[in-house]
């Protein structure tokens, strides 16, 4: 990995890593947690007849890699797939944790890194597997998306303000770019050079991204995965799952 790209090879990733791939010609990225055994736990919008959004993942009806590909609990957006089905012929990227502010600013595109530190791999995998069995609430493109899911699995951090932007750097970039352009527009009257205006706009964009990063925000708290449904009141949580619907970590590692 470097400043220009987080692209990695399959041999570079380890269980507990936060990985992602781009969809729709780099229009957006899809994130998940690699849990080993060429398998990924990730969060998607539950497909219904009322939705046709870009984050609905078409799960394979028959996967040549392993028979449990596409496993999910009823009405849950958390799904287990093989790495091939997760990537959907896209390239593999690794999300970076614990980066310095200078590196964070150098990553122009959001949704690629955070200044927050990652928890140990075994803790990350435990959260992902627990949420696979119990769900992660309702999908929301700005407040509770696939990147939010992966960030929570890696850090255990959740935002306190449910009305604000979520933890996703990708969502923060979508909001930050127009905001930066809007805030910098009055400066056009003071700056004769278009280069100066562009520089200020870019600076405001980077600052808006940094201000919403979970590593520097003050409205985030550490929440145990077992307490998510109780504390947040998420609908459809399955605290107790029937044995016939359970998938053990031992099965994942196979």
């Amino acid at each position: 990995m470097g400043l220009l790209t987080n692209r990695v090879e399959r041999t570079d990733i380890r269980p507990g890593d936060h990985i992602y791939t781009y969809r729709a010609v780099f229009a957006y990225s899809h994130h998940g947690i690699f849990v080993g055994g060429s398998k990924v736990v990730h969060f998607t919008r539950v497909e219904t007849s009322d939705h046709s959004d870009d984050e609905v993942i078409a799960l394979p009806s028959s996967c040549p890699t392993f028979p449990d590909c596409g496993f999910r609990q009823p009405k849950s957006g958390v799904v287990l797939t093989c790495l091939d089905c997760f990537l959907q012929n896209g390239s593999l990227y690794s999300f970076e944790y614990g980066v310095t502010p200078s590196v964070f600013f150098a990553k122009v595109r959001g949704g690629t890194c955070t200044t927050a530190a990652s928890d140990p791999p075994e803790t990350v995998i435990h959260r992902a597997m627990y949420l696979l069995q119990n769900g992660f609430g309702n999908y929301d493109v700005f407040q509770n998306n696939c990147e939010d899911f992966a960030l929570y699995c890696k850090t255990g951090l959740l935002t306190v303000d449910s009305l604000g932007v979520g933890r996703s750097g990708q969502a923060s970039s979508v909001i930050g770019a127009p905001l930066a352009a809007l805030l910098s527009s009055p400066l056009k009257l003071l700056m004769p050079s278009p280069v100066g205006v562009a520089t200020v706009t870019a600076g405001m964009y980077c600052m808006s991204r940094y201000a919403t990063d979970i590593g520097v925000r003050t409205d985030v708290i550490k929440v145990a995965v077992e307490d998510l449904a109780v504390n947040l009141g998420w609908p459809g949580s399955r605290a107790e799952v029937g044995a016939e619907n359970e998938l053990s970590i031992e099965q994942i590692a196979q």
Side-chain angles (χ1 to χ4, degrees), residues 31-243:
H31 298 245
I33 298 296
F34 179 68
V35 294
S38 296
K39 300 167 189 176
V40 184
V41 177
H42 49 116
F43 184 48
T44 71
R45 190 190 301 276
V46 177
E47 187 169 7
T48 67
S49 58
D50 298 326
H51 294 287
S52 59
D53 303 88
D54 56 8
E55 192 58 35
V56 173
I57 303 298
L59 297 177
S61 57
S62 59
C63 175
T65 305
F66 76 106
D68 291 322
C69 186
F71 172 87
R72 69 164 88 212
Q73 294 292 344
K75 298 183 180 180
S76 171
V78 183
V79 59
L80 174 77
T81 63
C82 69
L83 184 57
D84 288 333
C85 293
F86 172 82
L87 293 176
Q88 294 185 8
N89 296 319
S91 298
L92 175 63
Y93 297 82
S94 179
F95 196 98
E96 291 185 88
Y97 284 81
V99 301
T100 62
S102 59
V103 171
F104 185 90
F105 285 124
K107 302 279 189 179
V108 177
R109 183 160 186 166
T112 60
C113 65
T114 178
T115 59
S118 170
D119 288 329
E122 57 271 18
T123 302
V124 176
I125 295 173
H126 169 70
R127 290 184 183 129
M129 295 304 300
Y130 186 92
L131 295 174
L132 177 63
Q133 302 292 349
N134 294 276
F136 193 62
N138 295 326
Y139 181 93
D140 184 279
V141 67
F142 289 114
Q143 295 183 347
N144 200 44
N145 59 37
C146 59
E147 185 183 346
D148 291 316
F149 169 82
L151 284 167
Y152 171 74
C153 289
K154 289 287 286 185
T155 66
L157 297 174
L158 289 176
T159 54
V160 177
D161 183 9
S162 61
L163 299 179
V165 67
R167 302 163 301 284
S168 168
Q170 190 172 198
S172 299
S173 295
V174 172
I175 297 173
L179 180 61
L182 178 63
L183 293 176
S184 63
S185 57
L187 298 176
K188 294 178 181 178
L189 302 176
L190 304 176
M191 293 184 179
S193 170
V195 176
V197 176
T199 301
V200 172
T201 302
M204 289 184 174
Y205 164 73
C206 291
M207 287 304 298
S208 68
R209 280 184 51 232
Y210 184 71
T212 56
D213 179 62
I214 61 169
V216 298
R217 291 175 66 159
T218 58
D219 61 341
V220 294
I221 57 174
K222 196 97 167 180
V223 179
V225 68
E226 294 81 4
D227 296 334
L228 279 181
V230 175
N231 290 349
L232 302 179
W234 282 345
S237 175
R238 286 158 293 278
E240 296 183 2
V241 182

